[in-house]
Amino acid sequence: MNVKELAGALGAKIVQPAGAGKEVSTGYTSDLLSDVMANAEDGCALITIQAHLNTVAVATHVEAAVIVVCNNHPIPADMVAAAEREEIAVIQTGKNQFEASHLVYVQINGGV
């Protein structure tokens, strides 16, 4: 499943579309960026409420496919610009991390 398809499944808004064609192979949910750096896998959907430049830096480091910002947290312009430069899509959803994580899991694992 690619980022654009995932955004549709989540009912999420694509805030930054560069990289929206990337494949999402797994998900990782955390608001502690050091935890993400230590444990997230390449190609993941990083599910978080952290909407700032450091999130983009960490997503780049772990080669995440997309940053999923939950609870409709505002996404600052500098984060969008950094994500565009790094070609990491950013999507925004009103769902909380629990709901978004479940939907990402179901979409990636075929409804399991």
Side-chain angles (χ1 to χ4, degrees):
M1 156 167 287
N2 69 31
V3 171
K4 187 175 180 180
E5 294 166 336
L6 182 63
L10 288 171
K13 175 184 174 185
I14 299 176
V15 176
Q16 195 303 105
K22 290 181 182 176
E23 288 297 311
V24 181
S25 57
T26 189
Y28 197 79
T29 305
S30 185
D31 295 326
L32 185 59
L33 296 178
S34 60
D35 175 58
V36 175
M37 286 177 54
N39 297 298
E41 298 177 20
D42 293 356
C44 73
L46 170 53
I47 303 161
T48 186
I49 60 168
Q50 296 291 338
H52 50 73
L53 285 174
N54 289 344
T55 309
V56 176
V58 168
T60 301
H61 178 74
V62 300
E63 298 183 24
V66 59
I67 300 168
V68 181
V69 178
C70 297
N71 293 338
N72 279 328
H73 274 257
I75 301 171
D78 61 348
M79 180 185 179
V80 173
E84 183 176 14
R85 282 191 302 275
E86 298 296 338
E87 295 188 6
I88 297 176
V90 177
I91 64 177
Q92 181 185 47
T93 180
K95 294 173 177 38
N96 65 36
Q97 293 98 315
F98 177 79
E99 295 167 318
S101 297
H102 171 73
L103 289 171
V104 168
Y105 181 87
V106 167
Q107 292 301 313
I108 291 172
N109 293 291
V112 174

